[in-house]
Amino acid sequence: MAFRWLCLAAAVLALGLPVRGQNNTAGQGIITVQDGKFVDAGCREFQFSGGNVWMLMEAAAGKLKPNGAFPNGQTVTQHLFSQAVADNIQVIRAFAHGATPNFILQTAPGEYNEEAFMALDQIIADADAAGAKLILTLTDNWRTDDGLLGYVYWAGGKHPEEFYVNSAVIALYKNHQRAMANRVNTITNRKYKDEPAIFAWDLINEPRSHCDIAKPNATCEAGETAAIQAWIQQAADNMKLEDPNHTVTVGEEGFYGFGAPAASLATNPNSDNTGWATKSGQNFLENHRPASIDFCATHIWTDNWAVNTTDGMNPTDFISKWVAQRAADASSLGKPLIIEEFGKQLQDFSAASIAETRDPIFSAIYASLQNLDSVKGVAYWEHDYLKGATKSDNLVRRGYSTFTNILLPAAKAVGAKVAALPPINGCVPGPVMASTGGGITSSLMSPVNSSQPPSVATSGRKLLAV
């Protein structure tokens, strides 16, 4: 296995990929949360600009091809992470399960597609080699295969709501958590729970109540919200049991639900006056309250939520109020907040349309990263890593003004901001990778004095159209 790592290191140098830690002063080792901040293994605060990618597992397995070759013979994942780090995009969020029925990870309870798992192995190894971090989702509300409804059917259930309350379904999900935490990467020879490239686990992508809130006079009882809350507590506690090293969050949009203060509920979208967001089953503050949830996360989709017709509100005004309320709640919990998924759909990809309709949305969200203390990271949808092959109306290509005029300067500003921060006083360093690439060194060190920086040893939703 050491030989395989030597080969990987040689490939990194031959292809001109950035060496881990070379282009950024923060982000080494496994990231933890301390005093409302993300902290790396060197006791430096970690903030980030990131991106979401679509069908990465499929692309890593060769099932989805880019529109054209990458330079120097790079693979899809090598190019993705090396280019992202060069652009100061330090975190990539991706599904750690199938995005379509054509290529799934878990084919039956406890049975896994080794080809898919090896693709995940490659993703993690290449992210680590480039110095990038990953947010990985464990399952998805919006699909059956490798998703919520698949677990229900496996357990003999019929209704989506059973995912949150049926003990047999929950047991299957917990088994999957164990399988993911203890998977031994065929390239790094580390268990996933020991991989420094993994930044966080999303318990599920966008959990929702499955009451039919679209029908006239339909109601979703508060019990649905309570059931999802109980599931979050149970799932997060179990993930910490299986993987005590990595951070965990819910993976939700961040609506306020039954029992939330009126001021919080007022920031929900409500374009059709049904109160659908309140009835979604989510309740942002309570969902992120459990001690086993390390940080708060939210998604923002002004198009999907028809925000332009919500009380006649301008989408950028909606975003400002949405983020401010959730940032305040995150601060009250003593936890960092990230905007882990947001985007703006386009039908017209002309330069004028992009500048007029998408750029203001992105500017508003990146402003929150600079101006709100509890907002520690953002990740836009959709990062273009396949030269336009995914053909999404949310795709942000490198030549668009959104990328050149907003994303790149904002990412650079975040990097400069973090680089100027001193090591965190009183920090307890987290696990660091040994220089050989094998194993995790002990994290039981003395708290760090900020006047003496530590030495750190490091190695080398939605069914979107595609």
mmCIF file of all heavy atoms in Angstrom, residues 353-384:
data_model
loop_
_atom_site.group_PDB
_atom_site.id
_atom_site.type_symbol
_atom_site.label_atom_id
_atom_site.label_comp_id
_atom_site.label_asym_id
_atom_site.label_seq_id
_atom_site.Cartn_x
_atom_site.Cartn_y
_atom_site.Cartn_z
ATOM 1 N N SER A 353 -27.785 38.738 -19.073
ATOM 2 C CA SER A 353 -28.708 38.032 -18.193
ATOM 3 C C SER A 353 -28.009 37.547 -16.928
ATOM 4 O O SER A 353 -28.548 37.657 -15.821
ATOM 5 C CB SER A 353 -29.326 36.845 -18.931
ATOM 6 O OG SER A 353 -30.145 36.096 -18.063
ATOM 7 N N ILE A 354 -26.813 37.017 -17.079
ATOM 8 C CA ILE A 354 -26.056 36.544 -15.916
ATOM 9 C C ILE A 354 -25.786 37.699 -14.964
ATOM 10 O O ILE A 354 -25.983 37.591 -13.745
ATOM 11 C CB ILE A 354 -24.742 35.885 -16.368
ATOM 12 C CG1 ILE A 354 -25.031 34.576 -17.119
ATOM 13 C CG2 ILE A 354 -23.827 35.617 -15.174
ATOM 14 C CD1 ILE A 354 -23.822 33.978 -17.800
ATOM 15 N N ALA A 355 -25.340 38.817 -15.512
ATOM 16 C CA ALA A 355 -25.002 39.971 -14.679
ATOM 17 C C ALA A 355 -26.228 40.542 -13.979
ATOM 18 O O ALA A 355 -26.147 41.001 -12.834
ATOM 19 C CB ALA A 355 -24.329 41.043 -15.526
ATOM 20 N N GLU A 356 -27.360 40.492 -14.654
ATOM 21 C CA GLU A 356 -28.570 41.110 -14.099
ATOM 22 C C GLU A 356 -29.298 40.206 -13.118
ATOM 23 O O GLU A 356 -29.822 40.685 -12.104
ATOM 24 C CB GLU A 356 -29.524 41.485 -15.236
ATOM 25 C CG GLU A 356 -30.801 42.152 -14.763
ATOM 26 C CD GLU A 356 -31.734 42.516 -15.916
ATOM 27 O OE1 GLU A 356 -31.326 42.345 -17.087
ATOM 28 O OE2 GLU A 356 -32.863 42.975 -15.646
ATOM 29 N N THR A 357 -29.349 38.887 -13.387
ATOM 30 C CA THR A 357 -30.204 38.011 -12.586
ATOM 31 C C THR A 357 -29.452 37.114 -11.612
ATOM 32 O O THR A 357 -29.940 36.844 -10.517
ATOM 33 C CB THR A 357 -31.078 37.127 -13.499
ATOM 34 O OG1 THR A 357 -30.216 36.301 -14.310
ATOM 35 C CG2 THR A 357 -31.952 37.965 -14.397
ATOM 36 N N ARG A 358 -28.263 36.626 -11.985
ATOM 37 C CA ARG A 358 -27.547 35.707 -11.087
ATOM 38 C C ARG A 358 -26.551 36.437 -10.193
ATOM 39 O O ARG A 358 -26.467 36.154 -8.984
ATOM 40 C CB ARG A 358 -26.830 34.624 -11.883
ATOM 41 C CG ARG A 358 -25.991 33.695 -11.009
ATOM 42 C CD ARG A 358 -25.264 32.649 -11.830
ATOM 43 N NE ARG A 358 -26.141 31.529 -12.146
ATOM 44 C CZ ARG A 358 -25.827 30.550 -12.990
ATOM 45 N NH1 ARG A 358 -24.661 30.593 -13.632
ATOM 46 N NH2 ARG A 358 -26.662 29.556 -13.220
ATOM 47 N N ASP A 359 -25.807 37.350 -10.746
ATOM 48 C CA ASP A 359 -24.722 37.989 -9.995
ATOM 49 C C ASP A 359 -25.192 38.664 -8.703
ATOM 50 O O ASP A 359 -24.517 38.553 -7.673
ATOM 51 C CB ASP A 359 -23.979 38.983 -10.880
ATOM 52 C CG ASP A 359 -23.129 38.290 -11.940
ATOM 53 O OD1 ASP A 359 -23.146 37.037 -11.995
ATOM 54 O OD2 ASP A 359 -22.454 38.997 -12.720
ATOM 55 N N PRO A 360 -26.340 39.353 -8.691
ATOM 56 C CA PRO A 360 -26.770 39.972 -7.431
ATOM 57 C C PRO A 360 -27.041 38.946 -6.333
ATOM 58 O O PRO A 360 -26.780 39.220 -5.151
ATOM 59 C CB PRO A 360 -28.053 40.722 -7.825
ATOM 60 C CG PRO A 360 -27.901 40.988 -9.289
ATOM 61 C CD PRO A 360 -27.196 39.787 -9.833
ATOM 62 N N ILE A 361 -27.580 37.772 -6.701
ATOM 63 C CA ILE A 361 -27.844 36.723 -5.717
ATOM 64 C C ILE A 361 -26.537 36.261 -5.086
ATOM 65 O O ILE A 361 -26.404 36.151 -3.857
ATOM 66 C CB ILE A 361 -28.568 35.537 -6.380
ATOM 67 C CG1 ILE A 361 -29.925 35.970 -6.965
ATOM 68 C CG2 ILE A 361 -28.725 34.382 -5.400
ATOM 69 C CD1 ILE A 361 -30.933 36.402 -5.947
ATOM 70 N N PHE A 362 -25.550 35.973 -5.926
ATOM 71 C CA PHE A 362 -24.266 35.502 -5.423
ATOM 72 C C PHE A 362 -23.561 36.581 -4.603
ATOM 73 O O PHE A 362 -22.940 36.284 -3.577
ATOM 74 C CB PHE A 362 -23.395 35.031 -6.587
ATOM 75 C CG PHE A 362 -23.691 33.625 -7.035
ATOM 76 C CD1 PHE A 362 -24.940 33.277 -7.525
ATOM 77 C CD2 PHE A 362 -22.723 32.640 -6.965
ATOM 78 C CE1 PHE A 362 -25.228 31.991 -7.934
ATOM 79 C CE2 PHE A 362 -22.994 31.333 -7.364
ATOM 80 C CZ PHE A 362 -24.252 31.001 -7.858
ATOM 81 N N SER A 363 -23.668 37.817 -5.047
ATOM 82 C CA SER A 363 -23.041 38.910 -4.298
ATOM 83 C C SER A 363 -23.624 39.019 -2.892
ATOM 84 O O SER A 363 -22.893 39.217 -1.911
ATOM 85 C CB SER A 363 -23.225 40.238 -5.039
ATOM 86 O OG SER A 363 -22.492 40.260 -6.246
ATOM 87 N N ALA A 364 -24.946 38.870 -2.783
ATOM 88 C CA ALA A 364 -25.600 38.975 -1.477
ATOM 89 C C ALA A 364 -25.137 37.870 -0.535
ATOM 90 O O ALA A 364 -24.913 38.101 0.668
ATOM 91 C CB ALA A 364 -27.121 38.922 -1.651
ATOM 92 N N ILE A 365 -24.974 36.669 -1.067
ATOM 93 C CA ILE A 365 -24.578 35.546 -0.217
ATOM 94 C C ILE A 365 -23.110 35.650 0.189
ATOM 95 O O ILE A 365 -22.752 35.426 1.348
ATOM 96 C CB ILE A 365 -24.887 34.220 -0.919
ATOM 97 C CG1 ILE A 365 -26.416 34.037 -0.965
ATOM 98 C CG2 ILE A 365 -24.215 33.043 -0.216
ATOM 99 C CD1 ILE A 365 -26.903 32.888 -1.795
ATOM 100 N N TYR A 366 -22.246 36.029 -0.745
ATOM 101 C CA TYR A 366 -20.842 36.178 -0.378
ATOM 102 C C TYR A 366 -20.620 37.342 0.567
ATOM 103 O O TYR A 366 -19.684 37.327 1.388
ATOM 104 C CB TYR A 366 -19.975 36.315 -1.635
ATOM 105 C CG TYR A 366 -19.645 34.968 -2.221
ATOM 106 C CD1 TYR A 366 -20.431 34.433 -3.235
ATOM 107 C CD2 TYR A 366 -18.580 34.221 -1.743
ATOM 108 C CE1 TYR A 366 -20.155 33.172 -3.763
ATOM 109 C CE2 TYR A 366 -18.295 32.973 -2.255
ATOM 110 C CZ TYR A 366 -19.080 32.450 -3.267
ATOM 111 O OH TYR A 366 -18.818 31.207 -3.774
ATOM 112 N N ALA A 367 -21.485 38.341 0.514
ATOM 113 C CA ALA A 367 -21.383 39.450 1.463
ATOM 114 C C ALA A 367 -21.594 38.964 2.887
ATOM 115 O O ALA A 367 -20.956 39.463 3.827
ATOM 116 C CB ALA A 367 -22.401 40.533 1.118
ATOM 117 N N SER A 368 -22.478 37.982 3.061
ATOM 118 C CA SER A 368 -22.729 37.453 4.405
ATOM 119 C C SER A 368 -21.486 36.771 4.961
ATOM 120 O O SER A 368 -21.234 36.805 6.172
ATOM 121 C CB SER A 368 -23.914 36.487 4.385
ATOM 122 O OG SER A 368 -23.591 35.286 3.703
ATOM 123 N N LEU A 369 -20.704 36.132 4.089
ATOM 124 C CA LEU A 369 -19.479 35.473 4.535
ATOM 125 C C LEU A 369 -18.465 36.491 5.037
ATOM 126 O O LEU A 369 -17.719 36.233 5.989
ATOM 127 C CB LEU A 369 -18.889 34.654 3.386
ATOM 128 C CG LEU A 369 -17.592 33.884 3.657
ATOM 129 C CD1 LEU A 369 -17.764 32.915 4.816
ATOM 130 C CD2 LEU A 369 -17.160 33.131 2.401
ATOM 131 N N GLN A 370 -18.451 37.650 4.425
ATOM 132 C CA GLN A 370 -17.518 38.691 4.845
ATOM 133 C C GLN A 370 -18.017 39.493 6.043
ATOM 134 O O GLN A 370 -17.222 39.946 6.869
ATOM 135 C CB GLN A 370 -17.249 39.644 3.665
ATOM 136 C CG GLN A 370 -16.376 39.058 2.572
ATOM 137 C CD GLN A 370 -14.947 38.801 3.038
ATOM 138 O OE1 GLN A 370 -14.431 39.484 3.894
ATOM 139 N NE2 GLN A 370 -14.307 37.787 2.457
ATOM 140 N N ASN A 371 -19.347 39.641 6.162
ATOM 141 C CA ASN A 371 -19.885 40.615 7.111
ATOM 142 C C ASN A 371 -20.515 40.032 8.366
ATOM 143 O O ASN A 371 -20.687 40.758 9.352
ATOM 144 C CB ASN A 371 -20.923 41.493 6.409
ATOM 145 C CG ASN A 371 -20.345 42.255 5.230
ATOM 146 O OD1 ASN A 371 -19.164 42.597 5.225
ATOM 147 N ND2 ASN A 371 -21.166 42.511 4.220
ATOM 148 N N LEU A 372 -20.888 38.748 8.353
ATOM 149 C CA LEU A 372 -21.534 38.135 9.515
ATOM 150 C C LEU A 372 -20.556 37.189 10.190
ATOM 151 O O LEU A 372 -20.061 36.246 9.571
ATOM 152 C CB LEU A 372 -22.810 37.395 9.103
ATOM 153 C CG LEU A 372 -23.935 38.269 8.529
ATOM 154 C CD1 LEU A 372 -25.098 37.410 8.075
ATOM 155 C CD2 LEU A 372 -24.408 39.293 9.561
ATOM 156 N N ASP A 373 -20.300 37.423 11.456
ATOM 157 C CA ASP A 373 -19.232 36.708 12.141
ATOM 158 C C ASP A 373 -19.477 35.207 12.225
ATOM 159 O O ASP A 373 -18.535 34.420 12.164
ATOM 160 C CB ASP A 373 -19.061 37.277 13.554
ATOM 161 C CG ASP A 373 -17.859 36.683 14.261
ATOM 162 O OD1 ASP A 373 -16.734 36.797 13.721
ATOM 163 O OD2 ASP A 373 -18.034 36.078 15.330
ATOM 164 N N SER A 374 -20.726 34.785 12.375
ATOM 165 C CA SER A 374 -20.986 33.354 12.544
ATOM 166 C C SER A 374 -21.022 32.594 11.225
ATOM 167 O O SER A 374 -21.022 31.353 11.217
ATOM 168 C CB SER A 374 -22.291 33.122 13.310
ATOM 169 O OG SER A 374 -23.375 33.723 12.640
ATOM 170 N N VAL A 375 -21.066 33.285 10.082
ATOM 171 C CA VAL A 375 -21.041 32.621 8.780
ATOM 172 C C VAL A 375 -19.583 32.312 8.443
ATOM 173 O O VAL A 375 -18.773 33.212 8.227
ATOM 174 C CB VAL A 375 -21.680 33.483 7.676
ATOM 175 C CG1 VAL A 375 -21.610 32.759 6.328
ATOM 176 C CG2 VAL A 375 -23.131 33.799 8.026
ATOM 177 N N LYS A 376 -19.254 31.032 8.372
ATOM 178 C CA LYS A 376 -17.861 30.613 8.205
ATOM 179 C C LYS A 376 -17.579 29.946 6.865
ATOM 180 O O LYS A 376 -16.423 29.591 6.586
ATOM 181 C CB LYS A 376 -17.474 29.641 9.331
ATOM 182 C CG LYS A 376 -17.667 30.193 10.732
ATOM 183 C CD LYS A 376 -16.807 31.407 10.997
ATOM 184 C CE LYS A 376 -16.915 31.843 12.457
ATOM 185 N NZ LYS A 376 -16.114 33.047 12.746
ATOM 186 N N GLY A 377 -18.607 29.762 6.040
ATOM 187 C CA GLY A 377 -18.354 29.143 4.749
ATOM 188 C C GLY A 377 -19.581 29.179 3.864
ATOM 189 O O GLY A 377 -20.720 29.255 4.347
ATOM 190 N N VAL A 378 -19.362 29.153 2.556
ATOM 191 C CA VAL A 378 -20.440 29.084 1.578
ATOM 192 C C VAL A 378 -20.022 28.117 0.473
ATOM 193 O O VAL A 378 -18.830 27.950 0.202
ATOM 194 C CB VAL A 378 -20.771 30.464 0.961
ATOM 195 C CG1 VAL A 378 -21.211 31.450 2.035
ATOM 196 C CG2 VAL A 378 -19.592 31.017 0.175
ATOM 197 N N ALA A 379 -21.010 27.478 -0.137
ATOM 198 C CA ALA A 379 -20.730 26.552 -1.248
ATOM 199 C C ALA A 379 -21.839 26.674 -2.286
ATOM 200 O O ALA A 379 -22.990 26.344 -2.017
ATOM 201 C CB ALA A 379 -20.636 25.109 -0.740
ATOM 202 N N TYR A 380 -21.490 27.167 -3.457
ATOM 203 C CA TYR A 380 -22.494 27.443 -4.485
ATOM 204 C C TYR A 380 -22.811 26.193 -5.305
ATOM 205 O O TYR A 380 -22.042 25.241 -5.380
ATOM 206 C CB TYR A 380 -22.022 28.566 -5.408
ATOM 207 C CG TYR A 380 -20.844 28.207 -6.300
ATOM 208 C CD1 TYR A 380 -21.033 27.737 -7.592
ATOM 209 C CD2 TYR A 380 -19.538 28.357 -5.845
ATOM 210 C CE1 TYR A 380 -19.951 27.411 -8.411
ATOM 211 C CE2 TYR A 380 -18.459 28.039 -6.649
ATOM 212 C CZ TYR A 380 -18.670 27.562 -7.930
ATOM 213 O OH TYR A 380 -17.601 27.231 -8.728
ATOM 214 N N TRP A 381 -23.969 26.205 -5.901
ATOM 215 C CA TRP A 381 -24.419 25.176 -6.840
ATOM 216 C C TRP A 381 -24.624 25.876 -8.186
ATOM 217 O O TRP A 381 -25.366 26.853 -8.249
ATOM 218 C CB TRP A 381 -25.740 24.579 -6.368
ATOM 219 C CG TRP A 381 -26.177 23.385 -7.156
ATOM 220 C CD1 TRP A 381 -26.546 23.346 -8.462
ATOM 221 C CD2 TRP A 381 -26.276 22.032 -6.687
ATOM 222 N NE1 TRP A 381 -26.884 22.077 -8.845
ATOM 223 C CE2 TRP A 381 -26.723 21.248 -7.779
ATOM 224 C CE3 TRP A 381 -26.040 21.408 -5.472
ATOM 225 C CZ2 TRP A 381 -26.945 19.868 -7.666
ATOM 226 C CZ3 TRP A 381 -26.267 20.051 -5.368
ATOM 227 C CH2 TRP A 381 -26.707 19.303 -6.458
ATOM 228 N N GLU A 382 -23.949 25.438 -9.201
ATOM 229 C CA GLU A 382 -23.240 24.195 -9.360
ATOM 230 C C GLU A 382 -21.854 24.496 -9.900
ATOM 231 O O GLU A 382 -21.713 25.235 -10.876
ATOM 232 C CB GLU A 382 -24.024 23.291 -10.324
ATOM 233 C CG GLU A 382 -23.356 22.015 -10.687
ATOM 234 C CD GLU A 382 -24.116 21.276 -11.786
ATOM 235 O OE1 GLU A 382 -25.229 21.669 -12.163
ATOM 236 O OE2 GLU A 382 -23.546 20.300 -12.291
ATOM 237 N N HIS A 383 -20.846 23.943 -9.260
ATOM 238 C CA HIS A 383 -19.469 24.107 -9.698
ATOM 239 C C HIS A 383 -19.244 23.288 -10.970
ATOM 240 O O HIS A 383 -19.575 22.111 -11.032
ATOM 241 C CB HIS A 383 -18.530 23.634 -8.586
ATOM 242 C CG HIS A 383 -17.078 23.805 -8.892
ATOM 243 N ND1 HIS A 383 -16.464 25.037 -8.915
ATOM 244 C CD2 HIS A 383 -16.116 22.900 -9.193
ATOM 245 C CE1 HIS A 383 -15.180 24.883 -9.199
ATOM 246 N NE2 HIS A 383 -14.936 23.594 -9.383
ATOM 247 N N ASP A 384 -18.683 23.927 -11.982
ATOM 248 C CA ASP A 384 -18.481 23.270 -13.275
ATOM 249 C C ASP A 384 -17.120 22.577 -13.295
ATOM 250 O O ASP A 384 -16.086 23.213 -13.460
ATOM 251 C CB ASP A 384 -18.568 24.293 -14.409
ATOM 252 C CG ASP A 384 -18.381 23.658 -15.782
ATOM 253 O OD1 ASP A 384 -18.571 22.429 -15.897
ATOM 254 O OD2 ASP A 384 -18.057 24.393 -16.734
#
